[in-house]
Amino acid sequence: MPQSAHNVPVHRLAVRVREIAQLFNSLDPTPFLNKDLDPGANTFIETWASVYPSHSRFHITIHLELWPEDGDPTGLLTEAIHNHFSYKAEQTRKSLKYLLLQGRMSFAIGIVFVSLCLLGANSISHLGDNAGFNIARESLTIVGWVAMWRPMQIFLYDWWPLQKQIHLYQTLSRAHIQVIQGK
């Protein structure tokens, strides 16, 4: 059942910086709207947000000690932070797409390999019933199923943390940003 806006928990984060530039990666030469957040600021915001339920909303208040001469930076910082997390969501979405492609390829290869191993094990079982043949048959069976490990890992475990991360980035890309002058 979808939750109304009144039931969605709102979580607040206060970030204190001396100047706007502290929020952005100093190695990124692009203008503020397209810049990456500083890795420390990014990690701080992500870590903070990741502990809350996925249906939460976020309000980030930036306490800015040195107010820019050209006026209120709220719009600029809001757009920059939203762009940053939208970009991260898109990059993670691409990583998930690549992982699932790798999973499908691994699954196809694994199915062919396990089939060949099981056919080989079945052929060996017709050759005889001594210890050497039994070891070879069981070894082929085990090796065949071990080949299915990676696709099973991808489809059972590896994809959902990326999906959760995408959702977190999308939520952060819609966070309410407020900029306040002073400490």
Side-chain angles (χ1 to χ4, degrees):
M1 173 170 34
Q3 292 192 351
S4 71
H6 300 292
N7 298 21
V8 177
V10 176
H11 302 285
R12 301 177 188 287
L13 172 68
V15 177
R16 288 168 172 54
V17 293
R18 181 166 165 69
E19 58 188 349
I20 291 175
Q22 286 181 285
L23 290 172
F24 297 99
N25 187 347
S26 61
L27 298 177
D28 187 355
T30 59
F32 282 130
L33 293 179
N34 299 320
K35 288 184 81 150
D36 287 334
L37 286 180
D38 176 77
N42 179 74
T43 300
F44 180 68
I45 293 169
E46 272 188 51
T47 303
W48 165 77
S50 68
V51 300
Y52 295 109
S54 63
H55 61 278
S56 298
R57 290 185 311 160
F58 300 120
H59 286 208
I60 300 172
T61 302
I62 300 169
H63 296 270
L64 187 58
E65 194 173 322
L66 297 177
W67 201 253
E69 293 177 10
D70 54 351
D72 185 0
T74 301
L76 173 80
L77 290 176
T78 298
E79 191 171 352
I81 291 169
H82 288 178
N83 287 347
H84 172 77
F85 286 110
S86 290
Y87 176 75
K88 288 195 70 142
E90 185 57 35
Q91 292 304 108
T92 307
R93 196 174 289 109
K94 287 178 183 177
S95 295
L96 176 60
K97 185 178 177 181
Y98 177 76
L99 178 70
L100 294 175
L101 173 65
Q102 184 183 32
R104 287 188 297 272
M105 289 178 8
S106 298
F107 184 73
I109 292 167
I111 288 291
V112 169
F113 187 75
V114 76
S115 297
L116 292 173
C117 287
L118 292 176
L119 288 171
N122 190 40
S123 297
I124 289 174
S125 67
H126 295 323
L127 295 176
D129 195 25
N130 67 29
F133 288 136
N134 287 339
I135 291 171
R137 185 185 73 240
E138 292 300 319
S139 295
L140 275 175
T141 303
I142 291 169
V143 166
W145 287 112
V146 166
M148 294 300 292
W149 183 276
R150 182 67 181 139
M152 297 295 275
Q153 180 181 346
I154 289 172
F155 292 125
L156 292 177
Y157 305 111
D158 290 352
W159 70 271
W160 59 268
L162 290 175
Q163 187 63 44
K164 184 177 178 184
Q165 209 171 21
I166 291 167
H167 183 73
L168 175 67
Y169 292 148
Q170 288 173 330
T171 304
L172 284 169
S173 76
R174 295 184 304 270
H176 173 72
I177 309 296
Q178 178 182 17
V179 182
I180 298 174
Q181 184 176 8
K183 294 181 181 185

